[in-house]
Amino acid sequence: MSTTGTATTPPLPPVRLDRIGIVMMSAVGDAVHVMPVIHALKAHAPQSRISWVLQPGPATLVRGHPLVDDIVLFDRSKGWRGFLETRAALAAREFDVVLGLQVYFKAGLITGFTRSPVKLGFDTARARDANWLFTTHRIAPHVGQHVQDQYFEFLAALGVPHGSPEWSLGPWNDEERRWQREFVQQFDRPLAPIVVATSKPAKDWLPERWAQICHVLWHEYGLQPVLVGGRSPRELAAEAVIRREAPMAYSALGSGLRKLAAILDASAVALSPDTGPLHLAVALRTPVISLIGYTNPKRVGPYDFAHDLMIDAYGDPGEDYPLDMVYRENRLPRITVAHVEEKLRVWQERYAPARLARRPLR
């Protein structure tokens, strides 16, 4: 199947879509945003074989997905040895087109390792660290927009249509579904997972306030607070504070991404700062109360679901802030317990009936 892009520099030649490479290696949230691109590519070119360069963390979430044919690991923790191993793996693969969806220099190096006549990346204004030097073609310049829409620009350049985004993430095999059922059945209340921390302290909410919300979830809504995330020092410190002040909170820290997806999928409502599980909840269509202040929610907020549950501490009252990706420090403490309680009332009115009707999990 051939297609001609009309919004690239230089103009794309006719491109086959039989062997497609994707370079987007790092964050879980970005991996979630790549899935609708893969859905659209497979719908347009069902015969295509898609290889995706991923770091080990997000690779655990994607591995086994029916639309991802091949995963090439890039282990950044190995330093230059990681680059050499990925280069060797890519040397054994040829592509018709490679989509360079990540804008940093390290991703440019990986894109440079690929064997393809067309390596499509971002325009020079959006590519960082001279990333554009490693691509052969670049999508047209565009004003800032949501990350998901930026990835859809690559589809437009290839002439690949897309409708509403599709993800199909979650428990995919019998063992994972069994684990999900057993996890849910140990509680006599619907679940309300809380993402206790992120990769950046400036994105985190105060553990003492999460503890207060645990009491609200338990006493006012009959929900079971479940602490989710990894086991980094900050996450463990937050867990200690929350469980000391709210002993009804159950800790599932360190469950791993696949089990986290299963927990989110089975939950009545999730609560999360701006981090990967927020976007995973959106993909799973689990109502999620999002607390955003460090990053621009117009760029990285919930894409097409649960906007009415978002708490925007990024902008000042009445501010019509631009779509720039400018980070703002010290915004999360602006979010009060009362703000989250207000969004819980919205959830109860608009989302709770449908979510609670899903119990018991089959």
Side-chain angles (χ1 to χ4, degrees), residues 21 42 79 87 96 120 136 145 151 180 223 246 258 270 285:
K42 284 285 192 176
R87 183 176 69 175
D96 301 309
L120 182 61
T136 62
Q145 55 182 337
Y151 293 169
Q180 184 189 52
L223 299 174
R258 298 288 283 244
R285 285 331 201 220

Side-chain angles (χ1 to χ4, degrees), residues 276-290:
L278 162 62
H279 305 292
L280 185 53
V282 171
L284 293 166
R285 285 331 201 220
T286 296
V288 54
I289 296 174
S290 50

Side-chain angles (χ1 to χ4, degrees), residues 52-283:
W52 188 350
V53 184
L54 277 164
Q55 291 196 54
T60 63
L61 179 66
V62 173
R63 186 172 285 110
H65 194 285
L67 300 186
V68 180
D69 302 287
D70 179 32
I71 292 176
V72 179
L73 288 179
F74 168 63
D75 192 342
R76 184 176 60 177
S77 68
K78 293 183 177 180
W80 281 106
R81 188 159 61 92
F83 283 93
L84 295 175
E85 290 177 358
T86 302
R87 183 176 69 175
L90 290 171
R93 295 163 169 83
E94 293 187 11
F95 302 106
D96 301 309
V97 60
V98 170
L99 307 183
L101 299 177
Q102 199 165 3
V103 297
Y104 297 102
F105 182 77
K106 68 177 181 181
L109 284 176
I110 300 299
T111 302
F113 295 156
T114 60
R115 301 168 60 197
S116 176
V118 175
K119 302 177 183 182
L120 182 61
F122 280 99
D123 55 283
T124 56
R126 287 183 284 180
R128 303 178 188 178
D129 305 332
N131 174 279
W132 60 272
L133 292 173
F134 299 95
T135 57
T136 62
H137 298 76
R138 287 157 288 282
I139 60 176
H142 197 287
V143 296
Q145 55 182 337
H146 195 281
V147 170
Q148 186 69 74
D149 290 317
Q150 287 191 160
Y151 293 169
F152 285 154
E153 291 180 54
F154 285 77
L155 297 178
L158 292 170
V160 175
H162 71 87
S164 299
E166 296 182 58
W167 287 276
S168 64
L169 291 166
W172 299 310
N173 57 53
D174 291 341
E175 181 181 351
E176 289 176 328
R177 294 186 186 97
R178 182 168 55 252
W179 183 91
Q180 184 189 52
R181 287 194 299 271
E182 292 173 353
F183 183 86
V184 171
Q185 288 167 1
Q186 66 183 309
F187 306 104
D188 60 1
R189 297 162 174 250
L191 305 186
I194 294 173
V195 182
V196 299
T198 70
S199 61
K200 298 180 184 297
K203 291 183 179 182
D204 295 352
W205 205 38
L206 286 72
E208 296 82 1
R209 295 183 187 175
W210 279 132
Q212 293 180 62
I213 289 300
C214 286
H215 282 278
V216 173
L217 293 169
W218 180 273
H219 293 292
E220 297 185 25
Y221 292 91
L223 299 174
Q224 172 64 58
V226 178
L227 311 183
V228 296
R231 297 190 63 81
S232 69
R234 280 191 302 105
E235 287 166 309
L236 292 175
E239 174 198 47
V241 172
I242 296 169
R243 296 203 69 203
R244 182 181 67 243
E245 300 185 11
M248 77 286 290
Y250 178 91
S251 178
L253 294 187
S255 297
L257 282 172
R258 298 288 283 244
K259 291 179 179 177
L260 172 59
I263 293 170
L264 291 171
D265 178 62
S267 296
V269 61
L271 302 93
S272 177
D274 172 26
T275 188
L278 162 62
H279 305 292
L280 185 53
V282 171

